Amino acid sequence: MKEIAAGFERFRREAFPPRAELFRRLATSHTPNALFIGCSDARVVPELITQREPGELFVIRTAGNLVPPYGQDADGIAASIEYAVNALGVADIIVCGHSACGAMTALATGTDMSALPATATWLRHADASRALLDAAPAAEDRVSALVRSNVRAQLANLRTHPSVVRALARHEVALHGWVYDIGSGRIETVDAETGAAAPLTV
Ligand code: ZN
């Protein structure tokens, strides 16, 4: 905890002053142009890997970057998606999976989840991700394949949210699937329909 408080001190001393004008503007204005849905994993930092400043990315992070489909009981994730699309008018939504994802590893390897009942229930939102997965031989290949199919499945879940459906119909939003590789810093795009992967290009 000491390191975290010391980090805040360093932020105030070194990071805040050169951005004072930006923060002054942000104090009364919130106009991010993209919604980034990533994993809670500490190694995947949306603003760092996309080099965004405060105010530029609206972020939702969940275990396994899972997006529950829209349902009767609106949760915090549904509310955040709706707010980003309807109120903030984001032009792009990125669902970003990552290498060595603990959630996907647990599912791909059939880890015993009896000590993690809430996690086990939450991971049911990846049932379709598993169903999309073709048989892959080695365990490591299976995790990578599941990370990709999970991005596709969560993009499909995103399309069940009325705000997203409406914005897509009006061509006001575009959906993107990404997989970030922790060890190399590379990002691959994942085609929502075919699952084809390609390096992210500008
Ligand atoms: Zn993860």
Side-chain angles (χ1 to χ4, degrees), residues 147-174:
V147 166
R148 278 196 297 276
S149 68
N150 182 51
V151 167
R152 292 173 66 197
Q154 303 315 314
L155 285 168
N157 284 351
L158 201 48
R159 288 171 180 272
T160 66
H161 289 252
S163 55
V164 176
V165 173
R166 253 192 318 269
L168 282 170
R170 294 174 183 159
H171 304 287
E172 290 171 353
V173 78

mmCIF file of all heavy atoms in Angstrom, residues 147-174:
data_model
loop_
_atom_site.group_PDB
_atom_site.id
_atom_site.type_symbol
_atom_site.label_atom_id
_atom_site.label_comp_id
_atom_site.label_asym_id
_atom_site.label_seq_id
_atom_site.Cartn_x
_atom_site.Cartn_y
_atom_site.Cartn_z
ATOM 1 N N VAL A 147 -9.044 -17.954 -26.088
ATOM 2 C CA VAL A 147 -8.962 -16.490 -25.938
ATOM 3 C C VAL A 147 -9.574 -15.828 -27.177
ATOM 4 O O VAL A 147 -10.369 -14.896 -27.071
ATOM 5 C CB VAL A 147 -7.491 -16.031 -25.727
ATOM 6 C CG1 VAL A 147 -7.350 -14.521 -25.906
ATOM 7 C CG2 VAL A 147 -7.001 -16.447 -24.340
ATOM 8 N N ARG A 148 -9.236 -16.357 -28.359
ATOM 9 C CA ARG A 148 -9.769 -15.784 -29.611
ATOM 10 C C ARG A 148 -11.273 -16.039 -29.760
ATOM 11 O O ARG A 148 -12.029 -15.130 -30.091
ATOM 12 C CB ARG A 148 -9.026 -16.358 -30.826
ATOM 13 C CG ARG A 148 -7.709 -15.655 -31.109
ATOM 14 C CD ARG A 148 -7.205 -15.977 -32.511
ATOM 15 N NE ARG A 148 -6.920 -17.391 -32.687
ATOM 16 C CZ ARG A 148 -5.775 -17.977 -32.331
ATOM 17 N NH1 ARG A 148 -4.809 -17.257 -31.794
ATOM 18 N NH2 ARG A 148 -5.595 -19.255 -32.513
ATOM 19 N N SER A 149 -11.692 -17.291 -29.523
ATOM 20 C CA SER A 149 -13.127 -17.575 -29.699
ATOM 21 C C SER A 149 -13.944 -16.818 -28.652
ATOM 22 O O SER A 149 -15.087 -16.430 -28.903
ATOM 23 C CB SER A 149 -13.406 -19.075 -29.653
ATOM 24 O OG SER A 149 -13.182 -19.595 -28.370
ATOM 25 N N ASN A 150 -13.333 -16.550 -27.495
ATOM 26 C CA ASN A 150 -14.040 -15.789 -26.461
ATOM 27 C C ASN A 150 -14.266 -14.342 -26.908
ATOM 28 O O ASN A 150 -15.327 -13.767 -26.647
ATOM 29 C CB ASN A 150 -13.241 -15.826 -25.158
ATOM 30 C CG ASN A 150 -13.949 -15.090 -24.035
ATOM 31 O OD1 ASN A 150 -15.123 -15.321 -23.759
ATOM 32 N ND2 ASN A 150 -13.246 -14.162 -23.387
ATOM 33 N N VAL A 151 -13.298 -13.759 -27.589
ATOM 34 C CA VAL A 151 -13.483 -12.395 -28.100
ATOM 35 C C VAL A 151 -14.664 -12.374 -29.070
ATOM 36 O O VAL A 151 -15.537 -11.500 -29.005
ATOM 37 C CB VAL A 151 -12.189 -11.868 -28.776
ATOM 38 C CG1 VAL A 151 -12.461 -10.600 -29.578
ATOM 39 C CG2 VAL A 151 -11.113 -11.614 -27.727
ATOM 40 N N ARG A 152 -14.745 -13.398 -29.934
ATOM 41 C CA ARG A 152 -15.863 -13.476 -30.881
ATOM 42 C C ARG A 152 -17.191 -13.618 -30.143
ATOM 43 O O ARG A 152 -18.179 -12.954 -30.475
ATOM 44 C CB ARG A 152 -15.679 -14.669 -31.819
ATOM 45 C CG ARG A 152 -14.529 -14.513 -32.767
ATOM 46 C CD ARG A 152 -14.317 -15.797 -33.537
ATOM 47 N NE ARG A 152 -15.418 -16.113 -34.426
ATOM 48 C CZ ARG A 152 -15.610 -17.330 -34.960
ATOM 49 N NH1 ARG A 152 -14.796 -18.327 -34.668
ATOM 50 N NH2 ARG A 152 -16.610 -17.533 -35.770
ATOM 51 N N ALA A 153 -17.211 -14.492 -29.140
ATOM 52 C CA ALA A 153 -18.465 -14.726 -28.402
ATOM 53 C C ALA A 153 -18.903 -13.467 -27.653
ATOM 54 O O ALA A 153 -20.098 -13.156 -27.587
ATOM 55 C CB ALA A 153 -18.287 -15.890 -27.431
ATOM 56 N N GLN A 154 -17.945 -12.727 -27.111
ATOM 57 C CA GLN A 154 -18.322 -11.526 -26.353
ATOM 58 C C GLN A 154 -18.763 -10.404 -27.291
ATOM 59 O O GLN A 154 -19.618 -9.594 -26.937
ATOM 60 C CB GLN A 154 -17.179 -11.073 -25.433
ATOM 61 C CG GLN A 154 -16.713 -12.146 -24.450
ATOM 62 C CD GLN A 154 -17.861 -12.874 -23.755
ATOM 63 O OE1 GLN A 154 -18.817 -12.243 -23.281
ATOM 64 N NE2 GLN A 154 -17.793 -14.205 -23.674
ATOM 65 N N LEU A 155 -18.205 -10.356 -28.506
ATOM 66 C CA LEU A 155 -18.703 -9.387 -29.501
ATOM 67 C C LEU A 155 -20.154 -9.716 -29.843
ATOM 68 O O LEU A 155 -20.986 -8.820 -30.011
ATOM 69 C CB LEU A 155 -17.833 -9.424 -30.766
ATOM 70 C CG LEU A 155 -16.463 -8.744 -30.651
ATOM 71 C CD1 LEU A 155 -15.585 -9.101 -31.859
ATOM 72 C CD2 LEU A 155 -16.601 -7.222 -30.538
ATOM 73 N N ALA A 156 -20.469 -11.025 -29.920
ATOM 74 C CA ALA A 156 -21.855 -11.442 -30.195
ATOM 75 C C ALA A 156 -22.754 -11.029 -29.029
ATOM 76 O O ALA A 156 -23.874 -10.538 -29.243
ATOM 77 C CB ALA A 156 -21.918 -12.947 -30.434
ATOM 78 N N ASN A 157 -22.282 -11.208 -27.795
ATOM 79 C CA ASN A 157 -23.075 -10.788 -26.628
ATOM 80 C C ASN A 157 -23.342 -9.284 -26.651
ATOM 81 O O ASN A 157 -24.420 -8.820 -26.296
ATOM 82 C CB ASN A 157 -22.357 -11.153 -25.322
ATOM 83 C CG ASN A 157 -22.464 -12.636 -25.006
ATOM 84 O OD1 ASN A 157 -23.193 -13.362 -25.664
ATOM 85 N ND2 ASN A 157 -21.734 -13.075 -23.985
ATOM 86 N N LEU A 158 -22.318 -8.549 -27.061
ATOM 87 C CA LEU A 158 -22.438 -7.087 -27.142
ATOM 88 C C LEU A 158 -23.583 -6.692 -28.070
ATOM 89 O O LEU A 158 -24.310 -5.724 -27.827
ATOM 90 C CB LEU A 158 -21.101 -6.552 -27.670
ATOM 91 C CG LEU A 158 -20.686 -5.113 -27.434
ATOM 92 C CD1 LEU A 158 -20.854 -4.691 -25.988
ATOM 93 C CD2 LEU A 158 -19.230 -4.951 -27.876
ATOM 94 N N ARG A 159 -23.762 -7.479 -29.131
ATOM 95 C CA ARG A 159 -24.813 -7.193 -30.114
ATOM 96 C C ARG A 159 -26.216 -7.487 -29.597
ATOM 97 O O ARG A 159 -27.195 -7.288 -30.315
ATOM 98 C CB ARG A 159 -24.578 -8.011 -31.389
ATOM 99 C CG ARG A 159 -23.399 -7.542 -32.221
ATOM 100 C CD ARG A 159 -23.110 -8.536 -33.340
ATOM 101 N NE ARG A 159 -21.995 -8.131 -34.168
ATOM 102 C CZ ARG A 159 -22.114 -7.340 -35.232
ATOM 103 N NH1 ARG A 159 -23.304 -6.900 -35.591
ATOM 104 N NH2 ARG A 159 -21.060 -7.013 -35.935
ATOM 105 N N THR A 160 -26.346 -8.003 -28.368
ATOM 106 C CA THR A 160 -27.681 -8.207 -27.791
ATOM 107 C C THR A 160 -28.121 -6.971 -27.002
ATOM 108 O O THR A 160 -29.269 -6.903 -26.560
ATOM 109 C CB THR A 160 -27.717 -9.425 -26.839
ATOM 110 O OG1 THR A 160 -26.875 -9.147 -25.693
ATOM 111 C CG2 THR A 160 -27.242 -10.697 -27.520
ATOM 112 N N HIS A 161 -27.229 -6.007 -26.817
ATOM 113 C CA HIS A 161 -27.579 -4.803 -26.051
ATOM 114 C C HIS A 161 -28.288 -3.814 -26.971
ATOM 115 O O HIS A 161 -27.723 -3.424 -28.009
ATOM 116 C CB HIS A 161 -26.314 -4.191 -25.422
ATOM 117 C CG HIS A 161 -25.776 -5.027 -24.307
ATOM 118 N ND1 HIS A 161 -25.861 -4.652 -22.979
ATOM 119 C CD2 HIS A 161 -25.176 -6.240 -24.320
ATOM 120 C CE1 HIS A 161 -25.334 -5.605 -22.219
ATOM 121 N NE2 HIS A 161 -24.902 -6.578 -23.004
ATOM 122 N N PRO A 162 -29.515 -3.399 -26.621
ATOM 123 C CA PRO A 162 -30.296 -2.534 -27.516
ATOM 124 C C PRO A 162 -29.544 -1.283 -27.970
ATOM 125 O O PRO A 162 -29.660 -0.881 -29.127
ATOM 126 C CB PRO A 162 -31.519 -2.167 -26.667
ATOM 127 C CG PRO A 162 -31.645 -3.276 -25.684
ATOM 128 C CD PRO A 162 -30.255 -3.748 -25.391
ATOM 129 N N SER A 163 -28.793 -0.665 -27.070
ATOM 130 C CA SER A 163 -28.063 0.553 -27.456
ATOM 131 C C SER A 163 -27.077 0.255 -28.581
ATOM 132 O O SER A 163 -26.928 1.035 -29.529
ATOM 133 C CB SER A 163 -27.314 1.126 -26.244
ATOM 134 O OG SER A 163 -26.472 0.134 -25.680
ATOM 135 N N VAL A 164 -26.428 -0.908 -28.518
ATOM 136 C CA VAL A 164 -25.446 -1.304 -29.533
ATOM 137 C C VAL A 164 -26.159 -1.650 -30.839
ATOM 138 O O VAL A 164 -25.735 -1.245 -31.927
ATOM 139 C CB VAL A 164 -24.591 -2.492 -29.031
ATOM 140 C CG1 VAL A 164 -23.635 -2.984 -30.119
ATOM 141 C CG2 VAL A 164 -23.823 -2.099 -27.767
ATOM 142 N N VAL A 165 -27.278 -2.379 -30.726
ATOM 143 C CA VAL A 165 -28.053 -2.761 -31.916
ATOM 144 C C VAL A 165 -28.466 -1.503 -32.681
ATOM 145 O O VAL A 165 -28.305 -1.407 -33.902
ATOM 146 C CB VAL A 165 -29.307 -3.581 -31.509
ATOM 147 C CG1 VAL A 165 -30.204 -3.845 -32.708
ATOM 148 C CG2 VAL A 165 -28.895 -4.896 -30.851
ATOM 149 N N ARG A 166 -28.982 -0.518 -31.932
ATOM 150 C CA ARG A 166 -29.441 0.733 -32.562
ATOM 151 C C ARG A 166 -28.292 1.479 -33.220
ATOM 152 O O ARG A 166 -28.381 1.921 -34.358
ATOM 153 C CB ARG A 166 -30.100 1.628 -31.506
ATOM 154 C CG ARG A 166 -31.607 1.703 -31.637
ATOM 155 C CD ARG A 166 -32.218 2.805 -30.774
ATOM 156 N NE ARG A 166 -31.637 2.884 -29.454
ATOM 157 C CZ ARG A 166 -32.111 2.230 -28.384
ATOM 158 N NH1 ARG A 166 -33.149 1.440 -28.495
ATOM 159 N NH2 ARG A 166 -31.529 2.372 -27.208
ATOM 160 N N ALA A 167 -27.189 1.614 -32.493
ATOM 161 C CA ALA A 167 -26.040 2.370 -33.033
ATOM 162 C C ALA A 167 -25.437 1.667 -34.249
ATOM 163 O O ALA A 167 -25.003 2.330 -35.195
ATOM 164 C CB ALA A 167 -24.986 2.556 -31.937
ATOM 165 N N LEU A 168 -25.446 0.331 -34.244
ATOM 166 C CA LEU A 168 -24.940 -0.411 -35.404
ATOM 167 C C LEU A 168 -25.844 -0.181 -36.614
ATOM 168 O O LEU A 168 -25.360 0.033 -37.731
ATOM 169 C CB LEU A 168 -24.856 -1.909 -35.091
ATOM 170 C CG LEU A 168 -23.665 -2.373 -34.246
ATOM 171 C CD1 LEU A 168 -23.855 -3.820 -33.810
ATOM 172 C CD2 LEU A 168 -22.344 -2.220 -34.994
ATOM 173 N N ALA A 169 -27.158 -0.209 -36.381
ATOM 174 C CA ALA A 169 -28.106 -0.016 -37.486
ATOM 175 C C ALA A 169 -27.944 1.360 -38.111
ATOM 176 O O ALA A 169 -28.137 1.539 -39.311
ATOM 177 C CB ALA A 169 -29.535 -0.210 -36.985
ATOM 178 N N ARG A 170 -27.562 2.343 -37.307
ATOM 179 C CA ARG A 170 -27.385 3.716 -37.823
ATOM 180 C C ARG A 170 -25.941 3.969 -38.272
ATOM 181 O O ARG A 170 -25.583 5.104 -38.568
ATOM 182 C CB ARG A 170 -27.728 4.720 -36.719
ATOM 183 C CG ARG A 170 -29.180 4.711 -36.324
ATOM 184 C CD ARG A 170 -29.379 5.638 -35.118
ATOM 185 N NE ARG A 170 -30.742 5.619 -34.641
ATOM 186 C CZ ARG A 170 -31.105 5.992 -33.409
ATOM 187 N NH1 ARG A 170 -30.191 6.402 -32.550
ATOM 188 N NH2 ARG A 170 -32.363 5.949 -33.044
ATOM 189 N N HIS A 171 -25.128 2.926 -38.246
ATOM 190 C CA HIS A 171 -23.705 3.039 -38.612
ATOM 191 C C HIS A 171 -22.986 4.097 -37.772
ATOM 192 O O HIS A 171 -22.123 4.817 -38.260
ATOM 193 C CB HIS A 171 -23.548 3.361 -40.107
ATOM 194 C CG HIS A 171 -24.244 2.358 -40.982
ATOM 195 N ND1 HIS A 171 -23.764 1.086 -41.168
ATOM 196 C CD2 HIS A 171 -25.396 2.430 -41.676
ATOM 197 C CE1 HIS A 171 -24.598 0.412 -41.951
ATOM 198 N NE2 HIS A 171 -25.604 1.201 -42.271
ATOM 199 N N GLU A 172 -23.360 4.160 -36.503
ATOM 200 C CA GLU A 172 -22.742 5.159 -35.625
ATOM 201 C C GLU A 172 -21.656 4.555 -34.747
ATOM 202 O O GLU A 172 -20.952 5.263 -34.031
ATOM 203 C CB GLU A 172 -23.821 5.795 -34.728
ATOM 204 C CG GLU A 172 -24.776 6.688 -35.500
ATOM 205 C CD GLU A 172 -25.973 7.146 -34.687
ATOM 206 O OE1 GLU A 172 -26.153 6.677 -33.543
ATOM 207 O OE2 GLU A 172 -26.735 7.963 -35.220
ATOM 208 N N VAL A 173 -21.543 3.224 -34.764
ATOM 209 C CA VAL A 173 -20.526 2.568 -33.937
ATOM 210 C C VAL A 173 -19.942 1.389 -34.715
ATOM 211 O O VAL A 173 -20.619 0.798 -35.563
ATOM 212 C CB VAL A 173 -21.150 2.108 -32.589
ATOM 213 C CG1 VAL A 173 -21.970 0.835 -32.739
ATOM 214 C CG2 VAL A 173 -20.076 1.909 -31.517
ATOM 215 N N ALA A 174 -18.673 1.095 -34.453
ATOM 216 C CA ALA A 174 -18.022 -0.067 -35.066
ATOM 217 C C ALA A 174 -17.465 -0.946 -33.950
ATOM 218 O O ALA A 174 -16.971 -0.434 -32.935
ATOM 219 C CB ALA A 174 -16.901 0.387 -35.993
#
